[in-house]
Amino acid sequence: MKIAFYSTKPYDRIWFEPLGKEYGFDIQFIEYPFNKETVYLSRGSDAVCIFVNDYVDRELMDMLYEMKIQALLLRSAGFNHVDISAAKDKLHVLRVPSYSPEAVAEFAAALLLTVNRHTHKAYTRTRDFNMSIHGLMGRDLYGKVAGVVGTGKIGQAMVHILKGFGMRVLAYDPYTSDGVDAEYVALEELLERSNIISLHCPLTKETKHMINKKTIAKMQDSVYIINTSRGALIQTEDLIEGLVSKKIGGVGLDVYEEEEGIFYEDCSDEIMKDTVLARLTTFPNVVITSHMGFFTREAMQAIAIETLENAYAVENKLPLVNEVLP
Ligand code: NAD
């Protein structure tokens, strides 16, 4: 099988190159993102492999179909960037549903601890031998109320971690799971009672901008909001308003609504055109990372194995257990 592998970074090759050889796949590593300008680079391939910021709409799906691409391999769990209905009866779309939920939950906890204890600021201060701790006061997490939105694999791992901090954990999920060590409540109650809110639900029509002016108004004063899920869960301008009014006490973002073309790239020599993102970076109580919650050795290895297993299943007409269907 020949696979056109888009948005390749050096850290992808470490895992995919040797494993691809073991499977006998011919992988063409392409550094460009997948879009209308680059889609033709996959001509002659059997499958196309993309990452979270490679968007595939109906037009691109039809182009892939015309080029006889059989499968679209997602190196991610989320699939909001792909028009799944457009693939029906044309291409198989396969994802990696679970690679290391703990990796993302641990990262969400890292963001929470950073926002709360200002370790990002302490680090830069001590490097300048500024040993003042003025302005770096945090709060005990122990005994506070955490709200976890979405108790799938990552949300459940997060519940576990938050419980370890000695927090009371509330959860909201329209599909509750058994054995989750949290108190399921309605979303409104979670918003009203939680001192920290961590988002772990997928981006859908229902969840888009679920954190907005109205929902922020319901929250506790000085609430912390952590988002490692998808940027568009949050209406960013409303978040900024909440920060300016000090209703929100701190924010940790691993994802951002307009991250495509910015995250994963070195833009340090450029003028940042995204003024909303630029504004966000000015807040001392906002920590932004570049969609890297998944980025552990274990998760990268698992993504490589599962992605190529998906390709192998397509090639050998085996059951497609990770197929995403409309
Ligand atoms: P999952 O499918 O196991 O769990 C998602 C949960 O969200 C499910 O329990 C589902 O019932 C629930 N849900 C659906 N609609 C909801 C709603 N309206 N309100 C509340 N909950 C709702 O997925 P997961 O593996 O736990 O991943 C969660 C999200 O994390 C993914 O959708 C993805 O966007 C994101 N993610 C981010 C990274 C990263 O690197 N930052 C890595 C992997 C996944």
Side-chain angles (χ1 to χ4, degrees):
M1 178 176 257
K2 192 170 175 200
I3 304 172
F5 192 102
Y6 283 87
S7 297
T8 306
K9 299 288 180 198
Y11 45 79
D12 291 310
R13 293 182 84 120
I14 295 171
W15 304 100
F16 278 92
E17 212 157 22
L19 208 58
K21 280 191 190 131
E22 270 180 43
Y23 276 91
F25 293 141
D26 174 6
I27 304 183
Q28 182 198 2
F29 290 102
I30 302 165
E31 287 178 20
Y32 302 114
F34 180 79
N35 55 40
K36 283 190 194 104
E37 279 80 51
T38 61
V39 59
Y40 292 107
L41 295 173
S42 60
R43 197 183 286 285
S45 300
D46 306 295
V48 161
C49 185
I50 60 168
F51 199 42
V52 287
N53 289 328
D54 295 316
Y55 283 77
V56 186
D57 58 11
R58 185 170 288 277
E59 189 186 349
L60 275 168
M61 197 68 85
D62 287 344
M63 289 164 100
L64 289 176
Y65 179 62
E66 277 161 26
M67 289 194 290
K68 302 195 170 25
I69 304 292
Q70 298 164 38
L72 187 60
L73 307 168
L74 315 184
R75 308 197 291 280
S76 61
F79 49 88
N80 57 284
H81 52 304
V82 176
D83 185 341
I84 300 298
S85 59
K88 193 169 183 281
D89 301 329
K90 290 181 178 160
L91 265 81
H92 297 294
V93 180
L94 297 112
R95 67 179 184 129
V96 183
S98 177
Y99 38 90
S100 172
E102 290 76 19
V104 185
E106 286 168 14
F107 196 80
L111 284 177
L112 170 62
L113 292 176
T114 307
V115 165
N116 182 35
R117 301 303 296 271
H118 314 285
T119 40
H120 57 308
K121 298 191 68 143
Y123 172 77
T124 50
R125 277 195 197 182
T126 52
R127 284 171 70 90
D128 283 341
F129 293 108
N130 174 356
M131 300 303 183
S132 159
I133 61 170
H134 181 70
L136 303 185
M137 194 170 5
R139 301 177 223 163
D140 283 7
L141 294 179
Y142 179 83
K144 300 285 185 332
V145 181
V148 172
V149 181
T151 53
K153 291 173 286 295
I154 298 171
Q156 289 188 32
M158 187 63 174
V159 168
H160 199 68
I161 293 171
L162 296 169
K163 279 284 185 177
F165 290 149
M167 301 190 80
R168 292 187 58 193
V169 184
L170 307 179
Y172 167 72
D173 194 312
Y175 310 95
T176 58
S177 301
D178 291 335
V180 178
D181 192 12
E183 182 191 345
Y184 276 110
V185 294
L187 180 60
E188 188 152 330
E189 186 176 343
L190 181 147
L191 298 174
E192 284 169 4
R193 287 176 55 197
S194 302
N195 304 110
I196 75 129
I197 294 171
S198 193
L199 304 178
H200 300 288
C201 57
L203 175 62
T204 62
K205 270 190 219 128
E206 291 72 37
T207 61
K208 186 171 180 191
H209 290 173
M210 70 190 304
I211 303 299
N212 57 46
K213 200 179 287 204
K214 273 194 189 153
T215 50
I216 290 170
K218 294 183 204 294
M219 294 176 191
Q220 291 274 322
D221 289 342
S222 305
V223 63
Y224 292 154
I225 299 174
I226 307 296
N227 187 9
T228 54
S229 197
R230 284 292 180 267
L233 296 180
I234 297 180
Q235 181 9 293
T236 316
E237 273 96 352
D238 291 356
L239 187 81
I240 290 174
E241 223 172 86
L243 281 157
V244 171
S245 70
K246 298 194 178 156
K247 173 77 180 171
I248 299 172
V251 173
L253 299 178
D254 187 42
V255 285
Y256 168 59
E257 189 167 8
E258 303 296 332
E259 68 181 53
E260 187 194 349
I262 303 175
F263 281 24
Y264 302 129
E265 305 305 327
D266 179 359
C267 308
S268 56
D269 268 349
E270 292 167 25
I271 304 299
M272 178 44 62
K273 291 194 193 76
D274 187 325
T275 52
V276 177
L277 181 61
R279 176 73 175 110
L280 266 180
T281 59
T282 65
F283 293 95
N285 51 350
V286 174
V287 177
I288 302 171
T289 52
S290 189
H291 203 147
M292 56 177 285
F294 69 96
F295 202 42
T296 64
R297 293 184 65 82
E298 291 78 2
M300 288 299 284
Q301 189 175 28
I303 289 170
I305 293 171
E306 199 68 19
T307 304
L308 296 185
E309 273 295 312
N310 285 342
Y312 183 82
V314 172
E315 185 177 44
N316 293 285
K317 302 198 169 18
L318 301 174
L320 302 180
V321 287
N322 292 329
E323 184 162 26
V324 190
L325 297 167

